[in-house]
DNA sequence: ATGAAAGCGCTAACAA
DNA sequence: TTGTTAGCGCTTTCAT
């Protein structure tokens, strides 16, 4: 069923059908109705390729994301896809994994599909080495690039992020003000936002004149599903004699591992050990007590990102950077 | 940059360029190299629309899924997208939510995009009322439909699923054999697989000559993030005097709620209460003891689904139904 | 208000 | 081995 079939059946030209389809005003109401009826009757749907060919846009946004099964990224994906669709855009998903080459390849794939824009979900798309980020510049030359949770200065690149630095700094400060002396910083990623969080932690310590001890910065290298691994990781530190009365984790799953460690070693939370996670995910509700966590307002960020994207595609001047502030949600794992 | 530009610069016809692009053998190596060089030099990428127009396929699969932020569905999405891309297909994601109308609308949207096939992820796309499923039949008239975790008889519809009936039956039997008398079945969905699980539970009871009591079948109506809600839900039953020494939950988050309930009420797990979840997700590792859970081999299912899909698209005759068997992963929440 | 026709970039059948 | 050309289904001028 094509526009030709419809035009024949309705006894008009294809141009008229096209006008009806695209809501042009220059159609006699009677003609419009006649065409509409035929369209409905045959359930005709215009061919998106042909339309795309002419307009050179298929109203499609490419979404790049390292791992759609990650709790946090999956949520982001969900919000973004919803918002895009409400604005009449489709989403092509591309999970890249965490390797550089795969990221570039996926990006090229999306660009060759003539997506109208690419959204990169997650801080891991921006590295520390400027050279490694040139692929973003290249892509931005052809379509607007939207970054969620990453900060990158480049023309045609728009960033929506949470001030992880400040959020972590605040949380650390609260722990210090509550009298904690040895706060362990537990992280698992050297991504941009990972480093920001770390910096926030360090800044809080320094402003309280506390030296940052190396043994208090611990990077867990395992997978983000391996809660048992996290537990043994902390246990090893503990047995080695590292003392800590507070833990700030860069992700909730690390915090859960910390909770499990505490329980296994009969360390009372929050009396002997206070724990703060990050992302405020469902994992915070699985332990007893429930885990305090930093909420970085993912949904708000996603909504804003799509707004900026739609604005940009409509040729409006949009802000290159939108920064939200995170917020500590206090639960039973802390006493601040 | 189009195929015409390339052909001019290379001094050949567009047909030759097209042949090089599509790896046709009928090109002199020298010519091929000449064309390739120009292509590389100018970074030319063929226009996917134009290609799609001609072939009426854009090598794109539509993925329908109620909620990409659901732990289980997100994982499925991840596996499927990966496998599809390895086979040269792109994935257009469409999160439908749990409402019927939205499902149909999303499906139509995908079909109008001329996707080569639609994958429906999750049992909630098939309802009990046959009329409600006609939209699947309609869609199957134009492209092959792949169902993950659902069973539906229709031409051009291919199902990949886990035998939830048997898995739940086995788990229930194990509990009965371990001497449990009052096993609560906790669920939250009347989807196809939800009902299968329920039936498996009932069958196990019956084969042990135990009547199925209505109060032992409890449906939690809240969101799948609301672990606290689950806890209070069970607590209410408990306070009402409902006695149970085992719980089979149709999803891990329900099992976590049950664990939290038990801890709050000083009920010892597994000595006084044994708990089994479903999906074997990361949530099983968050509690102490860790939660036994039924693993329905999601990754295997997804791999198989994509295999069947690719086979079907290549005009091979493929099985309409592939059934895996689930398996109980025993952890500390049971003593079987 | 409507129709005719050009063109979007590519593939594939047919010719040479 | 290579070139020519007719579509693919739609949008959009330009006539009428």
């Amino acid at each position: 069923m094509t526009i030709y079939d419809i035009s024949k059946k309705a006894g008009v030209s294809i141009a008229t059908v096209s006008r009806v389809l695209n809501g042009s005003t220059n159609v006699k109401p009677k003609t419009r109705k006649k065409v509409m009826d035929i369209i409905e009757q045959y359930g005709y749907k215009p061919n998106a390729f042909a339309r795309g060919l002419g307009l050179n846009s298929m109203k499609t946004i490419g979404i790049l994301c390292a791992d759609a099964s990650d709790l946090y990224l999956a949520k982001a994906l969900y919000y973004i896809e919803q918002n895009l669709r409400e604005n009449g855009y489709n989403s092509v998903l591309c999970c890249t994994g965490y390797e550089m080459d795969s990221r570039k390849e996926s990006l090229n794939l999306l660009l060759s599909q003539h997506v109208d824009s690419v959204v990169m979900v997650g801080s891991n798309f921006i590295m520390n080495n400027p050279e490694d980020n040139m692929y973003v510049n290249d892509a931005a030359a052809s379509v607007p690039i939207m970054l969620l949770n990453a900060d990158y200065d480049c023309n045609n690149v728009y960033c929506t992020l949470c001030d992880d630095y400040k959020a972590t700094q605040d949380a650390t400060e609260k722990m210090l003000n509550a009298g904690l002396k040895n706060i362990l910083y537990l992280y698992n990623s050297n991504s941009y936002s990972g480093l920001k969080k770390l910096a926030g932690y360090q800044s809080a310590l320094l402003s309280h004149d506390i030296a940052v001890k190396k043994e208090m910065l611990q990077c867990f290298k395992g997978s983000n599903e391996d809660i048992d691994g996290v537990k043994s990781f902390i246990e090893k530190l503990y047995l080695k004699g590292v003392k800590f009365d507070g833990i700030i984790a860069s992700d909730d799953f690390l915090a859960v591992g910390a909770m499990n460690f505490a329980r296994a070693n009969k360390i009372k939370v929050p009396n002997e050990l206070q724990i703060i996670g990050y992302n405020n995910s469902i994992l915070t509700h699985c332990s007893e007590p429930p885990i305090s966590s930093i909420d970085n307002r993912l949904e708000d960020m996603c909504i804003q990102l799509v707004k900026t994207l739609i604005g940009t595609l409509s040729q409006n001047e949009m802000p290159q950077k939108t920064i939200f502030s995170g917020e500590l949600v206090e639960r039973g794992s802390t006493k601040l």
Side-chain angles (χ1 to χ4, degrees), chain A:
Chain A
M1 186 65 50
T2 75
I3 201 171
Y4 290 95
D5 301 320
I6 300 293
S7 76
K8 257 182 227 147
K9 289 190 203 294
V12 298
S13 74
I14 59 164
T16 301
V17 178
S18 178
R19 287 190 190 101
V20 170
L21 248 25
N22 294 290
S24 161
T25 50
N26 293 331
V27 183
K28 201 170 20 168
K30 222 174 179 173
T31 314
R32 176 187 301 283
K33 169 133 181 42
K34 190 169 56 181
V35 174
M36 279 298 235
D37 286 349
I38 303 277
I39 289 179
E40 298 241 322
Q41 182 184 339
Y42 290 88
Y44 161 76
K45 299 267 185 244
N47 182 321
F49 302 153
R51 187 173 246 165
L53 225 206
L55 301 178
N56 204 33
S57 150
M58 204 141 115
K59 288 271 199 178
T60 298
I61 308 296
I63 302 186
L64 233 44
C65 142
D67 173 3
S69 74
D70 176 275
L71 261 177
Y72 184 78
L73 298 179
K75 262 216 143 70
L77 225 58
Y78 177 71
Y79 292 133
I80 292 174
E81 194 272 342
Q82 293 253 314
N83 276 285
L84 283 176
R85 198 140 44 77
E86 277 165 21
N87 283 281
Y89 282 85
N90 283 102
S91 306
V92 175
L93 175 63
C94 225
C95 302
T96 66
Y98 290 96
E99 314 229 322
M100 205 52 190
D101 286 349
S102 159
R103 272 202 274 265
K104 290 186 192 171
E105 200 180 310
S106 301
L107 182 53
N108 278 331
L109 196 81
L110 285 180
L111 292 180
S112 77
Q113 297 279 317
H114 284 228
V115 293
D116 298 315
S117 166
V118 173
V119 179
M120 301 186 181
V121 178
S123 55
N124 49 289
F125 286 97
I126 299 298
M127 311 308 298
N128 278 313
N129 184 350
E131 248 177 49
D132 287 340
N133 296 328
M134 285 310 294
Y135 76 107
V136 177
N137 293 248
D138 293 346
S142 44
V143 292
I145 303 289
M146 314 300 298
L147 258 37
L148 180 69
N149 260 355
D151 193 352
Y152 190 63
D153 283 313
C154 173
N155 189 31
N156 214 22
V157 172
Y158 298 83
C159 307
T160 309
L161 59 152
C162 170
D163 192 344
D164 293 317
Y165 173 87
K166 184 148 183 318
T168 312
Q169 187 184 34
D170 285 354
T172 312
E173 290 242 337
K174 281 192 184 167
M175 277 192 161
L176 292 171
N177 291 337
L180 299 192
K181 298 292 175 212
N182 294 293
I183 304 176
L184 185 68
Y185 180 73
L186 192 60
Y187 64 111
N188 72 322
S189 153
N190 280 315
S191 69
Y192 171 82
S193 84
L195 293 173
K196 280 291 172 192
K197 294 174 192 170
L198 175 55
Y201 162 83
Q202 292 176 320
S203 144
L205 291 198
L206 293 178
S207 76
H208 278 241
D209 283 329
I210 302 180
V212 177
K213 280 180 266 174
K214 208 175 161 197
E215 76 222 37
M216 287 289 136
L217 303 180
Q218 292 291 345
C219 181
F220 173 72
K221 301 260 166 64
S223 113
N224 62 1
E225 299 248 299
D226 187 12
I227 290 181
D228 290 346
V230 176
K231 178 189 148 190
S232 352
F233 179 74
I234 304 176
E235 213 152 37
K236 252 182 231 150
L237 294 177
Y238 179 68
L239 296 176
K240 254 203 285 182
V242 179
K243 299 278 177 227
F244 44 87
D245 49 12
I247 295 182
I248 298 220
S250 72
D251 190 294
D252 282 336
F253 90 94
L254 295 169
V256 172
M259 290 290 297
N260 288 358
F261 149 78
R263 194 166 38 226
N265 290 274
K266 306 231 186 296
I267 298 172
K268 295 232 160 53
V269 175
N271 287 337
E272 298 162 32
L273 175 63
Q274 303 199 29
I275 297 174
I276 293 178
Y278 215 108
N279 287 349
N280 199 26
S281 70
I282 189 176
L283 296 181
T284 59
H285 290 281
C286 297
S287 313
E288 169 58 32
I291 304 174
S292 301
S293 184
I294 294 169
D295 186 326
N296 53 13
R297 302 179 57 201
L298 182 57
E299 183 166 10
D300 295 332
M301 284 201 288
C302 292
I303 292 173
Q304 182 55 50
L305 183 146
V306 173
K307 264 192 201 148
T308 308
L309 173 51
I310 301 297
T312 306
L313 292 178
S314 316
Q315 318 290 353
N316 294 326
E317 209 48 58
M318 300 304 281
Q320 297 242 142
K321 237 171 252 191
T322 315
I323 301 179
F324 287 81
S325 29
E327 166 189 38
L328 177 63
V329 178
E330 296 190 37
R331 298 200 181 85
S333 71
T334 52
K335 223 168 62 177
L336 302 172

Short mmCIF file of all heavy atoms in Angstrom, two decimals, chain A residues 3-4 18 22 44 46-47 51, chain D residues 8-15:
data_model
loop_
_atom_site.label_atom_id
_atom_site.label_comp_id
_atom_site.label_asym_id
_atom_site.label_seq_id
_atom_site.Cartn_x
_atom_site.Cartn_y
_atom_site.Cartn_z
N ILE A 3 1.42 5.52 -1.50
CA ILE A 3 0.70 6.77 -1.70
C ILE A 3 -0.01 6.75 -3.06
O ILE A 3 -1.05 7.40 -3.25
CB ILE A 3 1.69 7.96 -1.59
CG1 ILE A 3 0.92 9.23 -1.26
CG2 ILE A 3 2.53 8.11 -2.84
CD1 ILE A 3 1.85 10.38 -0.92
N TYR A 4 0.53 5.98 -3.98
CA TYR A 4 -0.08 5.88 -5.31
C TYR A 4 -1.41 5.14 -5.23
O TYR A 4 -2.41 5.55 -5.82
CB TYR A 4 0.87 5.17 -6.27
CG TYR A 4 2.08 5.99 -6.62
CD1 TYR A 4 3.26 5.84 -5.91
CD2 TYR A 4 2.02 6.95 -7.62
CE1 TYR A 4 4.37 6.61 -6.22
CE2 TYR A 4 3.13 7.72 -7.94
CZ TYR A 4 4.31 7.55 -7.23
OH TYR A 4 5.39 8.32 -7.52
N SER A 18 -0.28 13.45 -0.15
CA SER A 18 0.85 13.89 0.64
C SER A 18 0.47 15.09 1.50
O SER A 18 0.82 15.17 2.67
CB SER A 18 2.02 14.24 -0.28
OG SER A 18 3.12 14.70 0.47
N ASN A 22 0.53 15.35 5.54
CA ASN A 22 1.39 16.28 6.25
C ASN A 22 0.64 17.48 6.81
O ASN A 22 1.26 18.45 7.22
CB ASN A 22 2.53 16.73 5.35
CG ASN A 22 3.45 15.57 5.03
OD1 ASN A 22 4.17 15.10 5.90
ND2 ASN A 22 3.39 15.09 3.80
N TYR A 44 -3.33 2.50 5.82
CA TYR A 44 -2.09 2.87 5.16
C TYR A 44 -1.14 3.64 6.07
O TYR A 44 -1.55 4.51 6.82
CB TYR A 44 -2.41 3.74 3.92
CG TYR A 44 -1.25 4.54 3.43
CD1 TYR A 44 -0.23 3.93 2.71
CD2 TYR A 44 -1.17 5.89 3.70
CE1 TYR A 44 0.85 4.68 2.27
CE2 TYR A 44 -0.10 6.65 3.26
CZ TYR A 44 0.92 6.04 2.55
OH TYR A 44 1.98 6.77 2.12
N PRO A 46 2.64 5.64 5.80
CA PRO A 46 3.69 6.08 4.87
C PRO A 46 5.00 5.35 5.14
O PRO A 46 5.30 4.98 6.28
CB PRO A 46 3.83 7.57 5.15
CG PRO A 46 3.00 7.88 6.32
CD PRO A 46 2.11 6.73 6.60
N ASN A 47 5.75 5.14 4.12
CA ASN A 47 7.05 4.47 4.24
C ASN A 47 8.10 5.45 4.77
O ASN A 47 8.41 6.46 4.16
CB ASN A 47 7.46 3.97 2.86
CG ASN A 47 8.78 3.23 2.92
OD1 ASN A 47 9.67 3.63 3.63
ND2 ASN A 47 8.87 2.15 2.17
N ARG A 51 10.25 8.77 3.04
CA ARG A 51 10.13 10.07 3.67
C ARG A 51 11.50 10.57 4.11
O ARG A 51 11.88 11.70 3.86
CB ARG A 51 9.21 9.92 4.88
CG ARG A 51 8.84 11.21 5.53
CD ARG A 51 7.80 10.98 6.60
NE ARG A 51 6.54 11.59 6.27
CZ ARG A 51 5.40 11.30 6.90
NH1 ARG A 51 5.37 10.35 7.80
NH2 ARG A 51 4.30 11.93 6.59
P DC D 8 8.47 0.52 -8.25
OP1 DC D 8 7.86 -0.83 -8.29
OP2 DC D 8 7.69 1.72 -8.59
"O5'" DC D 8 9.06 0.77 -6.79
"C5'" DC D 8 9.84 -0.20 -6.12
"C4'" DC D 8 10.44 0.46 -4.91
"O4'" DC D 8 11.61 1.19 -5.32
"C3'" DC D 8 9.52 1.50 -4.28
"O3'" DC D 8 8.79 0.87 -3.24
"C2'" DC D 8 10.48 2.57 -3.76
"C1'" DC D 8 11.83 2.26 -4.42
N1 DC D 8 12.40 3.37 -5.22
C2 DC D 8 13.74 3.73 -5.04
O2 DC D 8 14.41 3.13 -4.20
N3 DC D 8 14.26 4.75 -5.78
C4 DC D 8 13.50 5.37 -6.68
N4 DC D 8 14.05 6.35 -7.39
C5 DC D 8 12.13 5.01 -6.89
C6 DC D 8 11.64 4.02 -6.15
P DG D 9 7.21 1.01 -3.20
OP1 DG D 9 6.70 -0.03 -2.31
OP2 DG D 9 6.70 1.14 -4.57
"O5'" DG D 9 7.01 2.43 -2.48
"C5'" DG D 9 7.46 2.57 -1.15
"C4'" DG D 9 7.42 4.03 -0.77
"O4'" DG D 9 8.33 4.76 -1.59
"C3'" DG D 9 6.05 4.69 -0.95
"O3'" DG D 9 5.77 5.37 0.25
"C2'" DG D 9 6.25 5.63 -2.13
"C1'" DG D 9 7.73 5.97 -2.00
N9 DG D 9 8.39 6.35 -3.23
C8 DG D 9 8.14 5.88 -4.50
N7 DG D 9 8.93 6.41 -5.41
C5 DG D 9 9.75 7.30 -4.70
C6 DG D 9 10.78 8.14 -5.14
O6 DG D 9 11.21 8.29 -6.28
N1 DG D 9 11.35 8.85 -4.08
C2 DG D 9 10.95 8.75 -2.78
N2 DG D 9 11.61 9.50 -1.90
N3 DG D 9 9.98 7.96 -2.34
C4 DG D 9 9.42 7.26 -3.35
P DC D 10 4.51 6.21 0.46
OP1 DC D 10 4.00 5.94 1.80
OP2 DC D 10 3.64 6.12 -0.71
"O5'" DC D 10 5.17 7.66 0.49
"C5'" DC D 10 6.08 7.97 1.54
"C4'" DC D 10 6.89 9.18 1.18
"O4'" DC D 10 7.45 9.00 -0.13
"C3'" DC D 10 6.11 10.48 1.09
"O3'" DC D 10 6.30 11.21 2.30
"C2'" DC D 10 6.70 11.22 -0.08
"C1'" DC D 10 7.73 10.27 -0.65
N1 DC D 10 7.67 10.17 -2.13
C2 DC D 10 8.57 10.91 -2.89
O2 DC D 10 9.39 11.64 -2.31
N3 DC D 10 8.52 10.82 -4.24
C4 DC D 10 7.63 10.02 -4.83
N4 DC D 10 7.63 9.95 -6.17
C5 DC D 10 6.69 9.25 -4.08
C6 DC D 10 6.74 9.36 -2.74
P DT D 11 5.51 12.55 2.51
OP1 DT D 11 5.48 12.80 3.96
OP2 DT D 11 4.26 12.51 1.72
"O5'" DT D 11 6.47 13.64 1.84
"C5'" DT D 11 7.75 13.86 2.40
"C4'" DT D 11 8.44 14.98 1.65
"O4'" DT D 11 8.55 14.63 0.25
"C3'" DT D 11 7.73 16.31 1.70
"O3'" DT D 11 8.71 17.32 1.89
"C2'" DT D 11 7.06 16.42 0.33
"C1'" DT D 11 8.06 15.68 -0.55
N1 DT D 11 7.52 15.04 -1.77
C2 DT D 11 8.18 15.24 -2.97
O2 DT D 11 9.16 15.94 -3.09
N3 DT D 11 7.63 14.57 -4.05
C4 DT D 11 6.52 13.75 -4.04
O4 DT D 11 6.14 13.20 -5.07
C5 DT D 11 5.88 13.58 -2.76
C7 DT D 11 4.66 12.71 -2.64
C6 DT D 11 6.40 14.22 -1.70
P DT D 12 8.30 18.79 2.28
OP1 DT D 12 9.09 19.15 3.46
OP2 DT D 12 6.83 18.88 2.30
"O5'" DT D 12 8.80 19.66 1.04
"C5'" DT D 12 9.66 19.05 0.07
"C4'" DT D 12 9.63 19.83 -1.22
"O4'" DT D 12 9.01 19.02 -2.26
"C3'" DT D 12 8.84 21.14 -1.19
"O3'" DT D 12 9.55 22.08 -1.98
"C2'" DT D 12 7.52 20.78 -1.83
"C1'" DT D 12 7.99 19.76 -2.89
N1 DT D 12 6.95 18.79 -3.32
C2 DT D 12 7.01 18.27 -4.60
O2 DT D 12 7.88 18.58 -5.39
N3 DT D 12 6.02 17.39 -4.91
C4 DT D 12 4.99 16.97 -4.08
O4 DT D 12 4.16 16.16 -4.48
C5 DT D 12 4.98 17.55 -2.77
C7 DT D 12 3.90 17.17 -1.79
C6 DT D 12 5.95 18.43 -2.44
P DT D 13 9.49 23.62 -1.64
OP1 DT D 13 10.84 24.13 -1.90
OP2 DT D 13 8.80 23.80 -0.36
"O5'" DT D 13 8.55 24.26 -2.77
"C5'" DT D 13 9.13 25.20 -3.63
"C4'" DT D 13 9.52 24.53 -4.97
"O4'" DT D 13 8.90 23.24 -5.08
"C3'" DT D 13 9.03 25.38 -6.13
"O3'" DT D 13 10.11 25.72 -6.99
"C2'" DT D 13 7.94 24.55 -6.79
"C1'" DT D 13 8.26 23.12 -6.33
N1 DT D 13 7.02 22.30 -6.14
C2 DT D 13 6.62 21.50 -7.15
O2 DT D 13 7.19 21.42 -8.22
N3 DT D 13 5.47 20.77 -6.88
C4 DT D 13 4.73 20.76 -5.71
O4 DT D 13 3.75 20.07 -5.59
C5 DT D 13 5.23 21.62 -4.68
C7 DT D 13 4.52 21.72 -3.37
C6 DT D 13 6.33 22.36 -4.92
P DC D 14 9.99 27.07 -7.83
OP1 DC D 14 11.32 27.36 -8.39
OP2 DC D 14 9.29 28.06 -7.00
"O5'" DC D 14 9.00 26.64 -9.02
"C5'" DC D 14 9.33 25.49 -9.79
"C4'" DC D 14 8.18 25.17 -10.74
"O4'" DC D 14 7.20 24.37 -10.05
"C3'" DC D 14 7.46 26.43 -11.24
"O3'" DC D 14 7.23 26.27 -12.63
"C2'" DC D 14 6.14 26.40 -10.47
"C1'" DC D 14 5.91 24.90 -10.30
N1 DC D 14 5.04 24.51 -9.16
C2 DC D 14 4.16 23.42 -9.28
O2 DC D 14 4.13 22.81 -10.36
N3 DC D 14 3.38 23.08 -8.23
C4 DC D 14 3.45 23.77 -7.09
N4 DC D 14 2.66 23.38 -6.08
C5 DC D 14 4.34 24.88 -6.94
C6 DC D 14 5.11 25.21 -7.98
P DA D 15 7.02 27.61 -13.52
OP1 DA D 15 8.18 27.77 -14.41
OP2 DA D 15 6.62 28.73 -12.64
"O5'" DA D 15 5.75 27.20 -14.37
"C5'" DA D 15 4.60 26.83 -13.68
"C4'" DA D 15 3.86 25.73 -14.43
"O4'" DA D 15 3.35 24.81 -13.45
"C3'" DA D 15 2.66 26.27 -15.19
"O3'" DA D 15 2.30 25.40 -16.25
"C2'" DA D 15 1.58 26.26 -14.11
"C1'" DA D 15 1.98 25.08 -13.22
N9 DA D 15 1.82 25.38 -11.80
C8 DA D 15 2.51 26.31 -11.05
N7 DA D 15 2.13 26.37 -9.79
C5 DA D 15 1.14 25.41 -9.71
C6 DA D 15 0.34 24.97 -8.65
N6 DA D 15 0.44 25.48 -7.42
N1 DA D 15 -0.56 24.00 -8.89
C2 DA D 15 -0.65 23.49 -10.12
N3 DA D 15 0.05 23.80 -11.20
C4 DA D 15 0.93 24.79 -10.92
#
